[in-house]
Amino acid sequence: QVQLVESGGGLVQSGGSLTLSCAAVGFAQENFAIAWFHQSPGKERAGLSCITSGGARAFGGDAPEGRFAIARDSAKATVEFKGDRVRPSDSGTYYCALATRQRCARGEAQFQYWGQGVQVTVSS
């Protein structure tokens, strides 16, 4: 019943900006955490950014050069991920993940629901 609907991605110019959006459909719990993961071909998924239902953010310290940010739009019931000064290494699949607790962790274990992923290609 719970579905994470991701949007955005596609072809992005190197040095430009990337914007992704995630909406949790069929989810009605007060406490949650939602995060974005990135996976390059041949590499394991890595957490990029996370935000809780209370607005707390995590993973910020691990964002390369502080280029990644996450924000929650309560009015739209969506979470946006933004990447600045993107580079070819940012290419890959981006996944939205949802956890049913108000905590953020980089590990995948706590995230019960996953989007199918969106493809991002950064041109060089």
Side-chain angles (χ1 to χ4, degrees), residues 79-102:
V79 173
E80 289 190 350
F81 171 85
K82 293 184 177 181
D84 293 328
R85 302 184 302 279
V86 296
R87 57 196 65 175
S89 60
D90 293 327
S91 299
T93 306
Y94 287 76
Y95 296 90
C96 180
L98 175 67
T100 57
R101 68 176 188 174
Q102 197 172 350

Side-chain angles (χ1 to χ4, degrees), residues 23 71-79:
R72 179 169 176 249
D73 191 331
S74 298
K76 298 180 180 180
T78 59
V79 173

Side-chain angles (χ1 to χ4, degrees), residues 29-46:
Q29 295 189 26
E30 184 66 23
N31 298 322
F32 65 88
I34 189 165
W36 281 95
F37 287 77
H38 173 243
Q39 184 174 29
S40 299
K43 298 182 179 180
E44 63 181 10
R45 271 195 295 232

